[in-house]
Amino acid sequence: NYYAKKEYKKALKMYQSLKKKGNLAAINNLAMMYYKGQGTLPDQVKAVKLLETLIQNNKLKKREKSIVL
């Protein structure tokens, strides 16, 4: 794992790729990396937008689970 090895630029690219596939863990990790400035300049605005994406996805999943067929 690039992040564990503190290879933050490689980890950032990997998480960005996984984000495009809808990987929620990758979105969370990206948010934290942007917040902390790991592998990139700190960007709290991007971090918050990514966390908002997670919240929206969580709401959608809860709605999907509540639908009874």
Side-chain angles (χ1 to χ4, degrees):
N1 180 321
Y2 292 125
Y3 188 85
K5 294 178 185 176
K6 298 185 180 184
E7 295 180 29
Y8 297 129
K9 288 187 180 190
K10 289 180 181 179
L12 190 74
K13 286 182 182 181
M14 179 185 68
Y15 291 140
Q16 287 169 334
S17 175
L18 291 170
K19 175 188 167 263
K20 291 177 185 176
K21 297 177 183 178
N23 185 302
L24 299 181
I27 295 170
N28 181 68
N29 292 341
L30 270 175
M32 293 303 109
M33 291 184 75
Y34 279 116
Y35 182 78
K36 295 177 181 179
Q38 295 172 318
T40 185
L41 294 174
D43 190 336
Q44 284 76 28
V45 173
K46 277 187 183 179
V48 169
K49 286 181 182 180
L50 288 165
L51 292 173
E52 287 173 345
T53 300
L54 286 175
I55 291 167
Q56 290 302 319
N57 280 321
N58 191 41
K59 286 180 182 179
L60 290 173
K61 285 185 178 186
K62 284 184 179 180
R63 258 190 239 141
E64 289 172 0
K65 287 181 181 178
S66 68
I67 296 173
V68 178
L69 298 177

Short mmCIF file of all heavy atoms in Angstrom, two decimals:
data_model
loop_
_atom_site.label_atom_id
_atom_site.label_comp_id
_atom_site.label_asym_id
_atom_site.label_seq_id
_atom_site.Cartn_x
_atom_site.Cartn_y
_atom_site.Cartn_z
N ASN A 1 0.84 -1.17 0.00
CA ASN A 1 0.00 0.00 0.00
C ASN A 1 0.89 1.24 0.00
O ASN A 1 1.70 1.44 0.89
CB ASN A 1 -0.90 -0.06 1.23
CG ASN A 1 -1.84 1.10 1.36
OD1 ASN A 1 -1.50 2.23 1.08
ND2 ASN A 1 -3.04 0.81 1.80
N TYR A 2 0.67 2.09 -1.00
CA TYR A 2 1.49 3.30 -1.12
C TYR A 2 1.32 4.22 0.08
O TYR A 2 2.28 4.84 0.53
CB TYR A 2 1.14 4.06 -2.40
CG TYR A 2 1.51 3.35 -3.68
CD1 TYR A 2 0.57 3.11 -4.66
CD2 TYR A 2 2.82 2.94 -3.90
CE1 TYR A 2 0.90 2.47 -5.84
CE2 TYR A 2 3.17 2.29 -5.08
CZ TYR A 2 2.21 2.06 -6.03
OH TYR A 2 2.55 1.43 -7.19
N TYR A 3 0.11 4.33 0.58
CA TYR A 3 -0.12 5.24 1.70
C TYR A 3 0.65 4.79 2.93
O TYR A 3 1.29 5.60 3.59
CB TYR A 3 -1.62 5.33 2.02
CG TYR A 3 -1.92 6.40 3.03
CD1 TYR A 3 -2.11 7.71 2.63
CD2 TYR A 3 -2.01 6.11 4.39
CE1 TYR A 3 -2.35 8.71 3.56
CE2 TYR A 3 -2.26 7.10 5.32
CZ TYR A 3 -2.44 8.39 4.90
OH TYR A 3 -2.68 9.38 5.81
N ALA A 4 0.62 3.52 3.22
CA ALA A 4 1.33 2.98 4.39
C ALA A 4 2.84 3.21 4.26
O ALA A 4 3.53 3.42 5.27
CB ALA A 4 1.03 1.50 4.56
N LYS A 5 3.33 3.19 3.03
CA LYS A 5 4.76 3.41 2.79
C LYS A 5 5.10 4.91 2.72
O LYS A 5 6.24 5.28 2.45
CB LYS A 5 5.18 2.76 1.47
CG LYS A 5 5.09 1.26 1.48
CD LYS A 5 5.47 0.71 0.11
CE LYS A 5 5.30 -0.78 0.03
NZ LYS A 5 5.57 -1.28 -1.33
N LYS A 6 4.08 5.74 2.93
CA LYS A 6 4.22 7.20 2.86
C LYS A 6 4.64 7.70 1.48
O LYS A 6 5.27 8.73 1.34
CB LYS A 6 5.16 7.72 3.95
CG LYS A 6 4.63 7.43 5.35
CD LYS A 6 5.48 8.06 6.41
CE LYS A 6 4.87 7.70 7.76
NZ LYS A 6 5.57 8.34 8.85
N GLU A 7 4.24 6.93 0.46
CA GLU A 7 4.44 7.35 -0.93
C GLU A 7 3.15 8.04 -1.37
O GLU A 7 2.35 7.51 -2.13
CB GLU A 7 4.76 6.14 -1.80
CG GLU A 7 6.08 5.48 -1.44
CD GLU A 7 6.41 4.28 -2.31
OE1 GLU A 7 5.97 4.24 -3.49
OE2 GLU A 7 7.10 3.38 -1.81
N TYR A 8 2.98 9.26 -0.84
CA TYR A 8 1.69 9.92 -0.94
C TYR A 8 1.28 10.31 -2.36
O TYR A 8 0.10 10.24 -2.69
CB TYR A 8 1.66 11.15 -0.03
CG TYR A 8 1.80 10.80 1.43
CD1 TYR A 8 2.74 11.43 2.23
CD2 TYR A 8 1.00 9.83 2.02
CE1 TYR A 8 2.86 11.11 3.58
CE2 TYR A 8 1.11 9.50 3.36
CZ TYR A 8 2.05 10.15 4.13
OH TYR A 8 2.16 9.83 5.45
N LYS A 9 2.22 10.69 -3.20
CA LYS A 9 1.85 11.05 -4.58
C LYS A 9 1.30 9.83 -5.33
O LYS A 9 0.33 9.94 -6.06
CB LYS A 9 3.03 11.66 -5.32
CG LYS A 9 3.34 13.07 -4.83
CD LYS A 9 4.40 13.73 -5.67
CE LYS A 9 4.63 15.14 -5.10
NZ LYS A 9 5.46 15.94 -5.96
N LYS A 10 1.92 8.68 -5.12
CA LYS A 10 1.44 7.45 -5.75
C LYS A 10 0.09 7.05 -5.17
O LYS A 10 -0.81 6.62 -5.89
CB LYS A 10 2.45 6.32 -5.58
CG LYS A 10 3.71 6.50 -6.39
CD LYS A 10 4.67 5.34 -6.18
CE LYS A 10 5.95 5.53 -6.97
NZ LYS A 10 6.89 4.42 -6.75
N ALA A 11 -0.05 7.19 -3.86
CA ALA A 11 -1.32 6.86 -3.20
C ALA A 11 -2.43 7.77 -3.71
O ALA A 11 -3.54 7.31 -3.99
CB ALA A 11 -1.18 6.99 -1.69
N LEU A 12 -2.13 9.06 -3.87
CA LEU A 12 -3.12 10.01 -4.36
C LEU A 12 -3.62 9.60 -5.74
O LEU A 12 -4.83 9.57 -5.99
CB LEU A 12 -2.51 11.41 -4.39
CG LEU A 12 -3.47 12.55 -4.65
CD1 LEU A 12 -4.33 12.81 -3.42
CD2 LEU A 12 -2.71 13.81 -5.03
N LYS A 13 -2.71 9.24 -6.63
CA LYS A 13 -3.10 8.81 -7.98
C LYS A 13 -3.94 7.54 -7.93
O LYS A 13 -4.93 7.41 -8.65
CB LYS A 13 -1.86 8.59 -8.85
CG LYS A 13 -1.20 9.87 -9.28
CD LYS A 13 -0.01 9.60 -10.18
CE LYS A 13 0.67 10.90 -10.56
NZ LYS A 13 1.80 10.69 -11.45
N MET A 14 -3.54 6.60 -7.07
CA MET A 14 -4.28 5.35 -6.95
C MET A 14 -5.71 5.62 -6.45
O MET A 14 -6.68 5.12 -7.02
CB MET A 14 -3.57 4.41 -5.99
CG MET A 14 -4.29 3.09 -5.79
SD MET A 14 -3.51 2.04 -4.54
CE MET A 14 -3.83 2.98 -3.05
N TYR A 15 -5.84 6.45 -5.41
CA TYR A 15 -7.16 6.75 -4.87
C TYR A 15 -8.01 7.53 -5.86
O TYR A 15 -9.23 7.33 -5.94
CB TYR A 15 -7.04 7.51 -3.55
CG TYR A 15 -6.49 6.69 -2.40
CD1 TYR A 15 -5.59 7.24 -1.50
CD2 TYR A 15 -6.88 5.37 -2.21
CE1 TYR A 15 -5.08 6.49 -0.45
CE2 TYR A 15 -6.38 4.61 -1.16
CZ TYR A 15 -5.49 5.18 -0.29
OH TYR A 15 -5.00 4.43 0.75
N GLN A 16 -7.39 8.41 -6.65
CA GLN A 16 -8.14 9.15 -7.66
C GLN A 16 -8.72 8.19 -8.71
O GLN A 16 -9.86 8.35 -9.15
CB GLN A 16 -7.26 10.21 -8.32
CG GLN A 16 -6.97 11.38 -7.41
CD GLN A 16 -5.90 12.31 -7.95
OE1 GLN A 16 -5.04 11.91 -8.72
NE2 GLN A 16 -5.95 13.56 -7.52
N SER A 17 -7.93 7.20 -9.07
CA SER A 17 -8.40 6.20 -10.03
C SER A 17 -9.55 5.39 -9.45
O SER A 17 -10.56 5.15 -10.12
CB SER A 17 -7.23 5.27 -10.41
OG SER A 17 -7.67 4.25 -11.24
N LEU A 18 -9.42 4.99 -8.21
CA LEU A 18 -10.48 4.21 -7.55
C LEU A 18 -11.74 5.05 -7.33
O LEU A 18 -12.86 4.53 -7.39
CB LEU A 18 -9.98 3.65 -6.23
CG LEU A 18 -8.91 2.56 -6.34
CD1 LEU A 18 -8.30 2.25 -4.98
CD2 LEU A 18 -9.50 1.30 -6.97
N LYS A 19 -11.56 6.34 -7.10
CA LYS A 19 -12.71 7.24 -6.92
C LYS A 19 -13.58 7.25 -8.17
O LYS A 19 -14.80 7.24 -8.09
CB LYS A 19 -12.21 8.66 -6.63
CG LYS A 19 -13.31 9.69 -6.55
CD LYS A 19 -12.69 11.10 -6.44
CE LYS A 19 -13.73 12.14 -6.69
NZ LYS A 19 -13.74 12.63 -8.06
N LYS A 20 -12.95 7.24 -9.34
CA LYS A 20 -13.69 7.24 -10.60
C LYS A 20 -14.56 5.99 -10.74
O LYS A 20 -15.55 6.01 -11.44
CB LYS A 20 -12.72 7.34 -11.78
CG LYS A 20 -12.05 8.69 -11.88
CD LYS A 20 -11.04 8.73 -13.00
CE LYS A 20 -10.28 10.04 -13.01
NZ LYS A 20 -9.24 10.06 -14.04
N LYS A 21 -14.18 4.93 -10.04
CA LYS A 21 -14.94 3.68 -10.07
C LYS A 21 -15.99 3.64 -8.95
O LYS A 21 -16.66 2.64 -8.77
CB LYS A 21 -14.00 2.50 -9.94
CG LYS A 21 -13.02 2.38 -11.10
CD LYS A 21 -12.06 1.25 -10.90
CE LYS A 21 -11.06 1.21 -12.06
NZ LYS A 21 -10.06 0.15 -11.89
N GLY A 22 -16.08 4.72 -8.18
CA GLY A 22 -17.08 4.80 -7.13
C GLY A 22 -16.68 4.17 -5.81
O GLY A 22 -17.52 3.92 -4.95
N ASN A 23 -15.39 3.94 -5.62
CA ASN A 23 -14.89 3.33 -4.39
C ASN A 23 -14.99 4.33 -3.24
O ASN A 23 -14.26 5.33 -3.22
CB ASN A 23 -13.45 2.86 -4.60
CG ASN A 23 -12.91 2.11 -3.42
OD1 ASN A 23 -12.87 2.62 -2.31
ND2 ASN A 23 -12.48 0.88 -3.67
N LEU A 24 -15.89 4.06 -2.28
CA LEU A 24 -16.14 5.00 -1.20
C LEU A 24 -14.96 5.13 -0.24
O LEU A 24 -14.69 6.22 0.27
CB LEU A 24 -17.41 4.61 -0.44
CG LEU A 24 -18.69 4.61 -1.28
CD1 LEU A 24 -19.88 4.22 -0.42
CD2 LEU A 24 -18.92 5.94 -1.96
N ALA A 25 -14.25 4.05 0.00
CA ALA A 25 -13.07 4.12 0.87
C ALA A 25 -12.01 5.02 0.24
O ALA A 25 -11.35 5.80 0.94
CB ALA A 25 -12.52 2.73 1.13
N ALA A 26 -11.86 4.93 -1.08
CA ALA A 26 -10.89 5.77 -1.77
C ALA A 26 -11.29 7.25 -1.67
O ALA A 26 -10.43 8.11 -1.48
CB ALA A 26 -10.77 5.35 -3.23
N ILE A 27 -12.58 7.52 -1.77
CA ILE A 27 -13.05 8.90 -1.66
C ILE A 27 -12.74 9.44 -0.26
O ILE A 27 -12.26 10.57 -0.11
CB ILE A 27 -14.56 8.99 -1.96
CG1 ILE A 27 -14.82 8.62 -3.42
CG2 ILE A 27 -15.09 10.40 -1.66
CD1 ILE A 27 -16.28 8.43 -3.78
N ASN A 28 -12.97 8.63 0.75
CA ASN A 28 -12.65 9.03 2.12
C ASN A 28 -11.16 9.30 2.28
O ASN A 28 -10.75 10.31 2.85
CB ASN A 28 -13.10 7.95 3.10
CG ASN A 28 -12.83 8.34 4.52
OD1 ASN A 28 -13.44 9.26 5.05
ND2 ASN A 28 -11.88 7.65 5.15
N ASN A 29 -10.34 8.40 1.76
CA ASN A 29 -8.89 8.56 1.87
C ASN A 29 -8.41 9.79 1.12
O ASN A 29 -7.53 10.51 1.60
CB ASN A 29 -8.18 7.30 1.37
CG ASN A 29 -8.42 6.12 2.26
OD1 ASN A 29 -8.81 6.25 3.41
ND2 ASN A 29 -8.20 4.93 1.73
N LEU A 30 -8.98 10.04 -0.04
CA LEU A 30 -8.62 11.25 -0.80
C LEU A 30 -8.96 12.50 0.00
O LEU A 30 -8.16 13.45 0.04
CB LEU A 30 -9.39 11.30 -2.12
CG LEU A 30 -8.76 10.65 -3.33
CD1 LEU A 30 -9.73 10.70 -4.50
CD2 LEU A 30 -7.45 11.31 -3.70
N ALA A 31 -10.12 12.52 0.60
CA ALA A 31 -10.52 13.68 1.40
C ALA A 31 -9.50 13.95 2.50
O ALA A 31 -9.10 15.11 2.70
CB ALA A 31 -11.91 13.45 2.00
N MET A 32 -9.09 12.92 3.17
CA MET A 32 -8.12 13.10 4.25
C MET A 32 -6.76 13.55 3.72
O MET A 32 -6.09 14.40 4.32
CB MET A 32 -7.95 11.80 5.05
CG MET A 32 -9.18 11.39 5.83
SD MET A 32 -9.74 12.67 6.99
CE MET A 32 -11.24 13.22 6.21
N MET A 33 -6.36 13.03 2.57
CA MET A 33 -5.09 13.43 1.98
C MET A 33 -5.10 14.89 1.55
O MET A 33 -4.15 15.62 1.76
CB MET A 33 -4.73 12.52 0.80
CG MET A 33 -4.38 11.10 1.24
SD MET A 33 -3.85 10.05 -0.12
CE MET A 33 -2.19 10.68 -0.38
N TYR A 34 -6.23 15.33 0.95
CA TYR A 34 -6.34 16.75 0.59
C TYR A 34 -6.36 17.62 1.83
O TYR A 34 -5.74 18.67 1.87
CB TYR A 34 -7.59 17.00 -0.25
CG TYR A 34 -7.41 16.65 -1.71
CD1 TYR A 34 -8.15 15.64 -2.29
CD2 TYR A 34 -6.50 17.34 -2.51
CE1 TYR A 34 -7.98 15.31 -3.63
CE2 TYR A 34 -6.32 17.02 -3.84
CZ TYR A 34 -7.07 16.00 -4.39
OH TYR A 34 -6.90 15.68 -5.70
N TYR A 35 -7.06 17.17 2.85
CA TYR A 35 -7.13 17.94 4.09
C TYR A 35 -5.74 18.12 4.72
O TYR A 35 -5.38 19.20 5.16
CB TYR A 35 -8.08 17.27 5.08
CG TYR A 35 -8.24 18.03 6.36
CD1 TYR A 35 -9.07 19.15 6.41
CD2 TYR A 35 -7.55 17.66 7.50
CE1 TYR A 35 -9.20 19.88 7.59
CE2 TYR A 35 -7.68 18.39 8.68
CZ TYR A 35 -8.50 19.49 8.72
OH TYR A 35 -8.63 20.21 9.87
N LYS A 36 -4.97 17.03 4.73
CA LYS A 36 -3.65 17.05 5.37
C LYS A 36 -2.54 17.53 4.45
O LYS A 36 -1.42 17.77 4.89
CB LYS A 36 -3.30 15.65 5.88
CG LYS A 36 -4.20 15.16 6.97
CD LYS A 36 -3.82 13.73 7.36
CE LYS A 36 -4.73 13.18 8.44
NZ LYS A 36 -4.37 11.79 8.77
N GLY A 37 -2.83 17.59 3.15
CA GLY A 37 -1.80 17.99 2.20
C GLY A 37 -0.78 16.89 1.96
O GLY A 37 0.41 17.13 1.85
N GLN A 38 -1.26 15.67 1.86
CA GLN A 38 -0.37 14.53 1.63
C GLN A 38 -0.36 14.19 0.14
O GLN A 38 -1.37 13.78 -0.42
CB GLN A 38 -0.84 13.32 2.44
CG GLN A 38 -0.73 13.55 3.93
CD GLN A 38 -1.36 12.44 4.72
OE1 GLN A 38 -2.43 11.94 4.40
NE2 GLN A 38 -0.68 12.03 5.79
N GLY A 39 0.78 14.39 -0.50
CA GLY A 39 0.90 14.14 -1.93
C GLY A 39 0.39 15.28 -2.79
O GLY A 39 0.41 15.21 -4.01
N THR A 40 -0.09 16.31 -2.15
CA THR A 40 -0.65 17.47 -2.82
C THR A 40 -0.62 18.65 -1.85
O THR A 40 -0.34 18.46 -0.67
CB THR A 40 -2.10 17.19 -3.28
OG1 THR A 40 -2.58 18.30 -4.02
CG2 THR A 40 -3.01 16.92 -2.10
N LEU A 41 -0.91 19.82 -2.36
CA LEU A 41 -1.05 20.96 -1.45
C LEU A 41 -2.33 20.78 -0.64
O LEU A 41 -3.31 20.23 -1.15
CB LEU A 41 -1.11 22.27 -2.24
CG LEU A 41 0.16 22.66 -3.00
CD1 LEU A 41 -0.10 23.89 -3.86
CD2 LEU A 41 1.30 22.92 -2.03
N PRO A 42 -2.35 21.24 0.59
CA PRO A 42 -3.59 21.14 1.37
C PRO A 42 -4.72 21.87 0.66
O PRO A 42 -4.52 22.96 0.11
CB PRO A 42 -3.25 21.84 2.69
CG PRO A 42 -1.77 21.82 2.78
CD PRO A 42 -1.28 21.86 1.36
N ASP A 43 -5.88 21.25 0.63
CA ASP A 43 -7.04 21.85 -0.03
C ASP A 43 -8.29 21.42 0.72
O ASP A 43 -8.89 20.39 0.42
CB ASP A 43 -7.10 21.43 -1.50
CG ASP A 43 -8.13 22.21 -2.30
OD1 ASP A 43 -9.10 22.72 -1.69
OD2 ASP A 43 -7.98 22.30 -3.53
N GLN A 44 -8.66 22.22 1.71
CA GLN A 44 -9.82 21.87 2.54
C GLN A 44 -11.12 21.93 1.74
O GLN A 44 -12.05 21.18 2.05
CB GLN A 44 -9.90 22.79 3.77
CG GLN A 44 -8.91 22.43 4.85
CD GLN A 44 -7.48 22.87 4.55
OE1 GLN A 44 -7.26 23.83 3.83
NE2 GLN A 44 -6.50 22.16 5.09
N VAL A 45 -11.19 22.77 0.72
CA VAL A 45 -12.41 22.84 -0.10
C VAL A 45 -12.63 21.52 -0.82
O VAL A 45 -13.74 20.97 -0.80
CB VAL A 45 -12.33 24.03 -1.10
CG1 VAL A 45 -13.51 24.00 -2.05
CG2 VAL A 45 -12.27 25.35 -0.35
N LYS A 46 -11.58 20.96 -1.43
CA LYS A 46 -11.71 19.66 -2.09
C LYS A 46 -12.05 18.57 -1.08
O LYS A 46 -12.85 17.69 -1.35
CB LYS A 46 -10.41 19.28 -2.81
CG LYS A 46 -10.25 19.89 -4.16
CD LYS A 46 -9.03 19.33 -4.86
CE LYS A 46 -8.82 19.97 -6.20
NZ LYS A 46 -7.62 19.47 -6.88
N ALA A 47 -11.43 18.65 0.09
CA ALA A 47 -11.68 17.65 1.12
C ALA A 47 -13.16 17.65 1.52
O ALA A 47 -13.78 16.59 1.60
CB ALA A 47 -10.80 17.91 2.34
N VAL A 48 -13.72 18.83 1.72
CA VAL A 48 -15.13 18.93 2.12
C VAL A 48 -16.04 18.43 1.00
O VAL A 48 -17.02 17.71 1.26
CB VAL A 48 -15.48 20.38 2.52
CG1 VAL A 48 -16.99 20.58 2.66
CG2 VAL A 48 -14.77 20.75 3.82
N LYS A 49 -15.73 18.77 -0.24
CA LYS A 49 -16.55 18.30 -1.37
C LYS A 49 -16.55 16.78 -1.46
O LYS A 49 -17.57 16.15 -1.72
CB LYS A 49 -16.06 18.91 -2.68
CG LYS A 49 -16.43 20.37 -2.82
CD LYS A 49 -15.96 20.94 -4.14
CE LYS A 49 -16.30 22.41 -4.22
NZ LYS A 49 -15.85 23.02 -5.48
N LEU A 50 -15.39 16.18 -1.23
CA LEU A 50 -15.30 14.72 -1.26
C LEU A 50 -16.12 14.11 -0.12
O LEU A 50 -16.82 13.11 -0.31
CB LEU A 50 -13.85 14.27 -1.19
CG LEU A 50 -13.04 14.51 -2.46
CD1 LEU A 50 -11.55 14.38 -2.17
CD2 LEU A 50 -13.47 13.56 -3.56
N LEU A 51 -16.05 14.71 1.05
CA LEU A 51 -16.83 14.20 2.19
C LEU A 51 -18.32 14.38 1.94
O LEU A 51 -19.12 13.52 2.32
CB LEU A 51 -16.40 14.89 3.48
CG LEU A 51 -14.98 14.53 3.94
CD1 LEU A 51 -14.58 15.38 5.13
CD2 LEU A 51 -14.86 13.05 4.26
N GLU A 52 -18.71 15.45 1.28
CA GLU A 52 -20.12 15.64 0.91
C GLU A 52 -20.58 14.55 -0.05
O GLU A 52 -21.71 14.07 0.04
CB GLU A 52 -20.34 17.02 0.31
CG GLU A 52 -20.27 18.13 1.34
CD GLU A 52 -20.31 19.52 0.72
OE1 GLU A 52 -20.11 19.67 -0.51
OE2 GLU A 52 -20.52 20.48 1.49
N THR A 53 -19.69 14.14 -0.95
CA THR A 53 -20.00 13.03 -1.86
C THR A 53 -20.28 11.76 -1.07
O THR A 53 -21.23 11.02 -1.37
CB THR A 53 -18.82 12.80 -2.83
OG1 THR A 53 -18.61 13.98 -3.59
CG2 THR A 53 -19.08 11.63 -3.76
N LEU A 54 -19.46 11.50 -0.06
CA LEU A 54 -19.68 10.32 0.79
C LEU A 54 -21.03 10.38 1.49
O LEU A 54 -21.75 9.38 1.56
CB LEU A 54 -18.57 10.20 1.84
CG LEU A 54 -17.22 9.74 1.36
CD1 LEU A 54 -16.21 9.80 2.49
CD2 LEU A 54 -17.30 8.33 0.81
N ILE A 55 -21.38 11.55 2.00
CA ILE A 55 -22.66 11.71 2.70
C ILE A 55 -23.82 11.44 1.75
O ILE A 55 -24.76 10.72 2.10
CB ILE A 55 -22.76 13.12 3.32
CG1 ILE A 55 -21.76 13.25 4.46
CG2 ILE A 55 -24.17 13.42 3.79
CD1 ILE A 55 -21.54 14.68 4.94
N GLN A 56 -23.74 11.99 0.54
CA GLN A 56 -24.81 11.78 -0.44
C GLN A 56 -24.93 10.30 -0.80
O GLN A 56 -26.03 9.77 -0.91
CB GLN A 56 -24.58 12.62 -1.69
CG GLN A 56 -24.78 14.09 -1.46
CD GLN A 56 -26.17 14.42 -0.95
OE1 GLN A 56 -27.17 13.87 -1.39
NE2 GLN A 56 -26.23 15.32 0.02
N ASN A 57 -23.79 9.63 -1.00
CA ASN A 57 -23.82 8.21 -1.33
C ASN A 57 -24.43 7.40 -0.19
O ASN A 57 -25.17 6.45 -0.42
CB ASN A 57 -22.42 7.69 -1.64
CG ASN A 57 -21.99 8.03 -3.04
OD1 ASN A 57 -22.76 7.97 -3.98
ND2 ASN A 57 -20.74 8.41 -3.20
N ASN A 58 -24.12 7.77 1.04
CA ASN A 58 -24.67 7.07 2.20
C ASN A 58 -26.18 7.25 2.27
O ASN A 58 -26.91 6.30 2.54
CB ASN A 58 -24.01 7.57 3.48
CG ASN A 58 -24.36 6.71 4.66
OD1 ASN A 58 -24.39 5.49 4.57
ND2 ASN A 58 -24.62 7.34 5.79
N LYS A 59 -26.67 8.46 1.99
CA LYS A 59 -28.11 8.71 1.99
C LYS A 59 -28.81 7.89 0.92
O LYS A 59 -29.88 7.33 1.15
CB LYS A 59 -28.39 10.20 1.78
CG LYS A 59 -28.09 11.06 2.98
CD LYS A 59 -28.39 12.51 2.69
CE LYS A 59 -28.04 13.39 3.88
NZ LYS A 59 -28.31 14.82 3.59
N LEU A 60 -28.19 7.80 -0.26
CA LEU A 60 -28.78 7.00 -1.34
C LEU A 60 -28.85 5.54 -0.96
O LEU A 60 -29.85 4.87 -1.22
CB LEU A 60 -27.99 7.18 -2.63
CG LEU A 60 -28.10 8.54 -3.31
CD1 LEU A 60 -27.13 8.62 -4.48
CD2 LEU A 60 -29.52 8.80 -3.77
N LYS A 61 -27.80 5.02 -0.36
CA LYS A 61 -27.79 3.62 0.05
C LYS A 61 -28.86 3.34 1.09
O LYS A 61 -29.52 2.32 1.05
CB LYS A 61 -26.41 3.22 0.57
CG LYS A 61 -25.40 3.04 -0.53
CD LYS A 61 -24.08 2.53 0.00
CE LYS A 61 -23.13 2.34 -1.15
NZ LYS A 61 -21.89 1.72 -0.74
N LYS A 62 -29.04 4.27 2.03
CA LYS A 62 -30.07 4.09 3.05
C LYS A 62 -31.45 4.08 2.41
O LYS A 62 -32.31 3.30 2.79
CB LYS A 62 -29.98 5.19 4.10
CG LYS A 62 -28.85 4.98 5.08
CD LYS A 62 -28.86 6.04 6.16
CE LYS A 62 -27.74 5.80 7.15
NZ LYS A 62 -27.71 6.82 8.21
N ARG A 63 -31.67 4.96 1.42
CA ARG A 63 -32.96 4.99 0.71
C ARG A 63 -33.20 3.70 -0.04
O ARG A 63 -34.30 3.16 -0.02
CB ARG A 63 -32.99 6.16 -0.27
CG ARG A 63 -33.77 7.32 0.25
CD ARG A 63 -33.99 8.35 -0.83
NE ARG A 63 -33.39 9.57 -0.31
CZ ARG A 63 -32.70 10.44 -1.00
NH1 ARG A 63 -32.53 10.28 -2.28
NH2 ARG A 63 -32.20 11.50 -0.43
N GLU A 64 -32.16 3.21 -0.70
CA GLU A 64 -32.28 1.95 -1.44
C GLU A 64 -32.66 0.80 -0.52
O GLU A 64 -33.47 -0.05 -0.87
CB GLU A 64 -30.99 1.63 -2.18
CG GLU A 64 -30.72 2.55 -3.35
CD GLU A 64 -29.34 2.35 -3.95
OE1 GLU A 64 -28.57 1.50 -3.46
OE2 GLU A 64 -29.00 3.08 -4.90
N LYS A 65 -32.08 0.77 0.66
CA LYS A 65 -32.37 -0.30 1.63
C LYS A 65 -33.79 -0.20 2.16
O LYS A 65 -34.38 -1.21 2.53
CB LYS A 65 -31.37 -0.27 2.78
CG LYS A 65 -30.00 -0.75 2.40
CD LYS A 65 -29.06 -0.73 3.59
CE LYS A 65 -27.68 -1.19 3.20
NZ LYS A 65 -26.75 -1.14 4.35
N SER A 66 -34.34 1.01 2.21
CA SER A 66 -35.68 1.18 2.78
C SER A 66 -36.79 0.88 1.77
O SER A 66 -37.94 0.76 2.15
CB SER A 66 -35.85 2.60 3.32
OG SER A 66 -35.86 3.53 2.27
N ILE A 67 -36.44 0.75 0.50
CA ILE A 67 -37.44 0.44 -0.51
C ILE A 67 -37.82 -1.03 -0.42
O ILE A 67 -36.96 -1.90 -0.47
CB ILE A 67 -36.93 0.77 -1.94
CG1 ILE A 67 -36.67 2.27 -2.07
CG2 ILE A 67 -37.90 0.29 -3.00
CD1 ILE A 67 -36.01 2.66 -3.37
N VAL A 68 -39.09 -1.26 -0.27
CA VAL A 68 -39.58 -2.64 -0.17
C VAL A 68 -40.20 -3.01 -1.50
O VAL A 68 -41.08 -2.32 -2.01
CB VAL A 68 -40.63 -2.78 0.96
CG1 VAL A 68 -41.16 -4.19 1.01
CG2 VAL A 68 -40.01 -2.35 2.28
N LEU A 69 -39.75 -4.11 -2.07
CA LEU A 69 -40.29 -4.55 -3.37
C LEU A 69 -41.31 -5.63 -3.16
O LEU A 69 -41.30 -6.42 -2.34
CB LEU A 69 -39.16 -5.07 -4.26
CG LEU A 69 -38.11 -4.03 -4.61
CD1 LEU A 69 -36.99 -4.67 -5.44
CD2 LEU A 69 -38.72 -2.88 -5.39
#
